[in-house]
Structure formats: C-alpha cells, structure tokens
C-alpha cells in the first residue's frame, strides 16, 4: 500500500500506476495535462515535496510518505495572482502548457521570490510552449512574483474592450487554472476506450487479419476492420485516406490503421491490440518523389503517383531572364517537420438514438461533421460536433486523426468512446509540413531592378492527399516574394510517397519557397553591388503596384514600412541577415470563403456564436472586441460560445490567416445591426433577439486571365532581421509585420513572438527523421526550442488599416509570423562566413555542427 498526500488530502492506494493516471482518472484533477508521456514537454509538471517533477514518469510507488501539489492545490491568492498576471501579459494562447508552466513558476518563486529573467528562463526550461515564444510567459511569471512578493492586490476587472485595447483573453482563467476542458478532459459515464493497430511496414500487402484472440480477451468489446465501415475513406478535398486497410490491399505508410480495438478499461488497450494478428507481404516502399515518378514505379493510388500539377506564368520569363544583367539559380531542400502542438489528438463520441455526438479539438467542427457523416453513410445533421479547447493546431488538426475512429466505434457499439493518440502515435500518424525540393532562378538588370523569377517545386505529398494541392499552389504563387516585377512563372508537382502525409502547416508552403527566394535575393544584391536592405527597399511592392501574380496592392500595403522598421537593426551589426515575405489572408483563388456570426441576446448578455475554431490565436477575444467597439458595450455584457454544429454557424476552417478578417467582419456586420437596435431598446428589451451575418470574400480564380486578378481579399507583409551573436547563435530577432490593424496588442505581439521561435526552430534545430520509411523522431528529439535557447525578440506592428475596412482594417498575423525567420538566419550566417546554406535545418551554425 502506498500512502501520500495530494493537495493536502491523504490517499492510500494498493496498485502501482503512473501518477498522472491517478490524478486525472481517479481523482479527476485534470489540470495536469498529458503532453508527451516521456517527461520531455512539461505539461504534467507537479510538485513533490515542493520540488518539480513530471507526473507522466512518476509512479505511485515512488510517492510513499510524500506530498504532491497540482495546479488545483494552489492557494486562492496564488490562483488569482497567476490568472491576473498571465492575462495582463498575454501569456496564454492555446493554454495546454500553462498549468505546468505555473507549477514551475511556483517552485521557483517559493525558493526565490525575486527572480531575474535568467532565473525564470531556467525555471521553465523543462516546459515547452509551442505558441508564445515564451516571452509573455516569462513576463507573466515576473509580474506574478512581484505581486506575491510585495503583496500587491489583484486589480479590479477592467471591462473596457474596444479594438486596440489590451483586453485579457476571455479564456485566461480556464486555461491558467486548468479548469477548461480539452477533449481528453471530457468524461462520459460508461466511457470505453479504443486504439488502432498500425501498419508494420511503410508499404506491404495485408494478407490476413485475425481478430479472434483479441475478441476472446475479457476486456475486449469489439474489434473493427474495414468491413465495418460504410465508406472506408476520409480526406478534406480528395477522399483517398483509408479508414482501415482491407485484407488484400496495400498499406501506404506506417501510420495506416489496420483495425480498431475497443476495450472497457484504458490500461488494457495495448494488451488487446497485441492480440490482433496481421500477416503481411512486405513490399519495397517509394520514399522520395523521384522514386515515385520513375516510369516503372508501382502505383500508390489508382489515380497514379501524382496528386497535383500547378503552374502559373505571367510575362515572358525566359526572355526576361536571358536579357537580364544578373541571374542567380540555386537548388534548395526543406524537410518535413512536425507541428508539435502541445495537446495530442483526442476525440470522444457517443450515440443517442440516431444522433452521433462528437467532442473534438479540431480546426473546424463542420469539416469533422462532413467527413464523419460521409464515412458512416448518414446525413450531416445526424452528426453533432462540439469543439473542446484546442491545445494548438498550426494546421495539424485539419485532417481526420481520431475523430472518425471514435465516431465509428461509438456508432457501432452504442457506447461512449474515447480515442486518444499517444505522443508517438501523433508523430507517426498526423500530417507534417511538406518536404520540398526547389529550383529557383531570380534575375535583375544592371541597376538592381528585379526583372524575372522562375521557380520549380517538387513537393513530397506523403501517403495521402490532405491539402497537398493547395499547399503547392500557395508555395508557388508566393515564391516570387513581395516584389514588383512582371515576369514570373512557377511549375510544381506534388507526389505521393510511402511517408507520413504532408498537410497544412503554418505558412502553408510559403515557408519553404521563401527560404530559397530570399537567399537568391541576397546573392543578386551582391552581384549588383547593393546591400541587401537597399536592394529589397528598391524592389519592394508599394500601394498601387502589381505583385508578380498580377494583383494590385491596396493602399494599406505596408511592406516598405516593415523594411523601415528593421532598417536600424540590419545596419547595427555586420552579423545580421534580412528576409521579407507576404502571405494571403483567406482561402481566396475564387473558392467559397465565408465568415459567419450570430449574435443572440439572452438575459442581458450578448452571446457571440460562431463556428470559427480557436486554436490559441484568440478568435473569441477578437470577436468580443469588435462587438464592443461597434456597440459600445463592455466585456461583462458579452459571452462567446464554443463552436458547435448545432448552435454556431459555419465560419469556415481556422486556416489561411482568415478568421480575424472573415469572422471579424461578420461579427462587425452583426454588431452594426445590434447597435441600431440598442438605440431604441435595452438589452433586456431585446431578450431573444438573434442577428446572423456573413461576410463573403470575393476573389478571382487561380490562373485567371484577368490582367490584374484579385486572388486574395488581403495580403499581410513582413520583414525579419536576424543577428548572430559571438557564440554563433541567434542573439536577436527583429520582426515587423503589416497586420492592417491591431485588435489586441498582447495577442498580436504574442503571435509574432511565437511565430518567430517556430520559424527559428524550423531554421536551425527542427527535423523529422526517417530510416527506410520508419519514423525515428521522438518528441524530445524534434529539436523544439526551449526558453533558454530563445533570442531576444523585438516586434514592430505596422498599422495602415482603417476603420472603414473589413474587420476595422485587421488582416491577421497567424501564418506570416513564421515565414521570414529561417531565410533571415541563413542570410546572416552567409554574411559572416560566405557559405551558402541551401537546406534545412541549417548546417555550420552554433546549433548544428
């Protein structure tokens, strides 16, 4: 028997088990989150006798006679201080890491009430945050320490919430105290658990599946295979992703599901899965696009091994290049990388009559509904999806991962079913940033005026389509960079292979091509005899000028201002590098692109209902501020509902940096109508009133024959200067972004800081490692940057948007914030030693030898 205390209460336990399972499943203390199960991420940080530890690697047998403190065990004073400090500093985004961060902060402050910045960085070194870049978390801890040390009272709530004010995140308390529910926190009476067994090989024929031994296990409820699925495919745009691989069919990567075991108790999942016997005939995998495009290559899909070709041509590119004074051509390689969001995928589903209820943490509940209903062969209306808190996404939670399996098991068994990935399953299965091989030619005249660029891209699609076509298209259309010249062409191909599928990832292909183009720009500048800043300033697109794709830049275009904001930083050091970029807001290219919001007045409160998913960017806070700006109401009169396919209108996927503009404008339109009603009636008198508005972004199709097509509703622009310190590591990142209008300063800065660190990781430390088609990477070996590895980040936000524009002029920062970082670092290193760096992660740095 093991005896110990948890938050001051004694417990006696006979059976040994992991502490995190006991806390979450037995005691219901769900503020302690499970992120990696290997002690690497820190989301499950707790105190044992006042010292930090990781609940996922501690067992109850190690606790005899000891005292455990979780986030729930903080004093009321500590809870109120941390909630205020983290809200005031904007330290919370997706929130999944925050309880662990606060426990680490408590351990520090209890011993050192007046910590330095270095002390704080060291204290949270064992806690990874993928959203914030750590800056605002460190500021929040410093403020909390000051308030606790000096006994400063928590200020009264400020309900001012107009556009531009530093409103605390509407979900800050839930995320700080761990009371907000993520998918794995959602519990249903009688809940059972399911897990899929995966392919033993990257490519193999499944000859036989024997489930009899598994079915005989007393804990096993059922085992499902392809024969149990009405429509055995999923896929956002192309339904080519198998729910399960059938007997006689061929697997396409090691993440392919073969069968799904449903058991009574979670601890028996692996035991039952190991009883499922699968016989294979191993086949030679196609691991590169070159292998897959070979004339004699076997077909990975019936349609062939090519998912998509994309081309665009404006002007006479070859002639312009031939006549140019200076031409640079280089080949660039970028790898797959993992989103590494803090919350592993999880879904809970249950059936009530003919209605399936699904609780998930994805980037669009309506996409979940459509794909699950199609799989089950039932009407969309028979699937009701509710969004839980989402512990980070970055594009990696757009595709089906666990939702379809939980739904299938619940539909067939009639029982509530939880399906949750371990961290290693998450790495193995969900989509990655596409690996790309790129040939980029860039040319200019003797005076340094850009004349042409020609880009060729080979994108590794992986095993399934996901969003490979649109990612390739966006990579191509943005590969020119934000410069004014008329001759531009790209061609690209996205190729199926037997690797983990590529999918949406912050930057959506632009991160890859800008890495190459911005290095070409530096080389051209050297040939002309101009410095890189002056060369870019000369060629940067300005209001009224056309981008290389033909779209005319609107008056609020702020690229020149971005360059001016980082000019001093660039010239401050001979060890600096520069890169600039652009990124669309909205899906665009003529496709349906709609934001929707419903405002409902109920008991003196305005309820904002929108299907727009919050994956950490703060969409609910943004909508609140736009409503308050428009109507003059205060924050305490507003409540934001979670996305739900029954209650909230479809506002499209949280992708393409679109929700601030699209849902923001829909909210503004609805708020204008509410304001008109409030001129003659009070909120109480308007009880029961509903107002629904939508905003449609009208754009021209890709490859439109118009001289100046409008491919996207808006573009954001950005610049980054990276400075390399004497230790050969990045010491400073100076970033400037044209965001149109800042809705919430802390949120906008936090996105810029988080994007900077994600982009830096992509540049210098992150990789996704295979061996013969098998995933070798672990969460602790992905190369994710920790607090002590991060440089100083200096953020400038350029606001040229005006209140009469969509969403008061705001156009988003989610994706662009990560795009120019890696090329600026590459250019800085090249400036120091003259060595070109054509692949990622960068070699010959202070990070990689």
């Amino acid at each position: 028997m093991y005896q110990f205390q948890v938050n001051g209460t004694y417990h006696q336990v006979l059976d040994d088990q992991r502490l995190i399972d006991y806390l979450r499943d037995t005691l219901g203390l769900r503020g302690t989150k499970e992120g990696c199960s290997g002690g690497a991420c820190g989301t499950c940080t707790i105190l044992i006798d006042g010292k930090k530890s990781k609940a996922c690697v501690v067992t109850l047998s190690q606790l005899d006679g000891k005292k455990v403190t979780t986030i729930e065990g903080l004093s009321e004073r500590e809870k109120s201080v941390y909630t205020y400090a983290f809200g005031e500093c904007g330290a919370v985004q997706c929130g999944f890491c925050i309880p662990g961060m606060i426990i680490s902060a408590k351990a520090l402050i209890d011993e050192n009430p007046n910590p330095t910045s270095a002390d704080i960085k060291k204290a949270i070194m064992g806690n990874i945050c993928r959203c914030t870049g750590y800056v605002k978390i460190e500021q929040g801890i410093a403020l909390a320490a000051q308030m606790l040390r000096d006994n400063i009272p928590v200020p009264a709530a400020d309900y001012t919430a107009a556009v531009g004010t530093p409103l605390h995140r509407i979900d800050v308390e839930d995320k700080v105290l761990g009371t907000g529910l993520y998918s794995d926190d959602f519990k249903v009476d009688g809940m059972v658990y399911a897990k899929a067994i995966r392919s033993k090989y990257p490519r193999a024929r499944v000859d036989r599946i024997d489930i009899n031994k598994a079915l005989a296990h007393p804990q096993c409820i059922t085992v499902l295979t392809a024969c149990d699925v009405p429509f055995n495919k999923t896929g956002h745009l192309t339904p080519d992703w198998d729910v399960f691989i059938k007997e006689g069919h061929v697997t396409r990567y090691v993440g392919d599901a073969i069968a799904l075991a449903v058991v009574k108790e979670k601890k028996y999942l692996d035991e039952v899965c190991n009883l499922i016997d699968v016989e294979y005939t191993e086949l030679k995998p196609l691991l590169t696009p070159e292998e897959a495009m070979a004339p004699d290559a076997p077909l990975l899909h019936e349609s062939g091994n090519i998912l998509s070709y994309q081309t665009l041509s404006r002007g006479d590119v070859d002639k312009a290049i031939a006549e140019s004074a200076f031409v640079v051509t280089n080949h660039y390689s970028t790898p797959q990388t993992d989103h590494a969001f803090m919350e592993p995928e999880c879904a809970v589903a249950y059936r009530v009559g003919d209605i399936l209820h699904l609780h998930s943490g994805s980037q669009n509940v309506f996409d979940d509904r459509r794909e699950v209903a199609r799989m089950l062969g039932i009407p969309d209306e028979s699937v009701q999806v509710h969004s839980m808190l989402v512990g980070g996404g970055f594009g990696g939670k757009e595709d089906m991962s666990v939702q379809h399996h939980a739904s299938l098991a619940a539909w067939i068994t009639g029982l509530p079913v939880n399906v949750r990935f371990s961290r290693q399953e998450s790495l193995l299965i969900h989509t990655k940033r596409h690996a790309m091989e790129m040939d980029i030619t860039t040319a200019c005249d003797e005076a340094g005026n850009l004349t042409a660029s020609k880009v060729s891209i080979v994108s590794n699609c992986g095993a399934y389509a996901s969003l490979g076509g649109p990612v390739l298209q966006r990579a191509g259309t943005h590969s020119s960079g934000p410069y004014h010249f008329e001759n531009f062409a790209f061609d690209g191909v996205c190729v199926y292979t037997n690797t983990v599928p590529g999918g949406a990832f912050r930057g959506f292909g632009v991160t890859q091509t800008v890495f190459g183009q911005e290095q070409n720009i530096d080389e051209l500048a050297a040939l002309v005899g101009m410095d890189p800043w002056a060369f870019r300033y000369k060629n940067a697109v300005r209001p009224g000028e056309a981008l290389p794709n033909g779209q005319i830049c609107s008056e609020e275009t702020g690229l020149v201002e971005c360059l001016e904001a980082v000019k001093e930083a660039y010239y401050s050091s001979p060890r600096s590098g520069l890169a600039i970029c652009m990124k669309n807001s909205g899906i665009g290219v003529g496709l349906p692109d709609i934001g929707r919001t419903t405002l409902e007045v109920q008991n003196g409160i305005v309820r904002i209902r929108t299907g727009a998913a919050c994956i950490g960017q703060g969409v609910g806070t943004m909508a609140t501020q736009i409503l308050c700006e428009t109507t003059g109401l205060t924050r305490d009169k507003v409540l934001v509902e979670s996305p739900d396919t029954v209650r909230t209108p479809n506002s499209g996927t949280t992708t393409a940096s679109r929700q601030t503009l699209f849902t923001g404008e829909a909210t503004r339109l609805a708020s204008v109508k509410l304001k008109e009603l409030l001129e003659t009636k009070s909120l109480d008198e308007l009880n029961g009133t509903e107002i629904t508005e939508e905003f449609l972004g009208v754009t021209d199709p890709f490859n439109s024959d118009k001289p100046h097509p409008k491919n996207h509703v808006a573009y954001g622009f950005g610049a980054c200067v990276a400075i390399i310190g004497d230790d050969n590591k990045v010491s400073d990142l100076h970033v400037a972004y044209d965001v149109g209008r800042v809705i919430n300063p802390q949120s906008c800065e936090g996105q810029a800081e988080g994007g900077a660190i994600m982009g830096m990781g992509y540049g210098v430390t992150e990789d996704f490692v295979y061996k013969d088609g098998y995933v070798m990477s672990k969460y602790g070996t992905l190369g994710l940057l920790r607090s002590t590895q991060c440089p100083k980040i200096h953020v400038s936000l350029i606001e040229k948007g005006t209140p009469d524009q969509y969403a008061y002029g705001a156009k988003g920062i989610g994706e662009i914030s990560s795009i120019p970082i890696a090329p600026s670092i590459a250019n800085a290193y090249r400036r120091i030693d003259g060595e070109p760096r054509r692949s990622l992660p960068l070699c010959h740095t202070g990070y990689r030898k």
Side-chain angles (χ1 to χ4, degrees), residues 23 73 214 292 399 438 523 719:
L23 293 174
D399 297 272
M438 300 161 286
E523 292 189 30

Side-chain angles (χ1 to χ4, degrees), residues 569-623:
Y570 180 73
Y571 289 117
S572 71
S573 170
R575 299 170 68 84
S576 65
L578 172 66
I580 64 176
C581 65
M582 64 181 181
K583 183 65 178 71
N584 58 291
S585 290
I587 297 167
V589 293
L591 298 173
D593 204 357
I594 301 174
R596 296 184 179 92
T597 300
T598 295
L599 303 182
E600 177 188 4
V601 182
Q602 190 178 104
N603 300 322
I605 298 293
V606 181
R607 303 176 73 92
I608 300 176
R609 291 159 39 192
T610 176
C614 179
I615 58 175
Q617 82 279 31
V619 65
T621 306
M622 173 275 296

Side-chain angles (χ1 to χ4, degrees), residues 27 100 148 222 400 501 612:
L27 301 185
L148 293 168
T222 190
M400 291 288 99

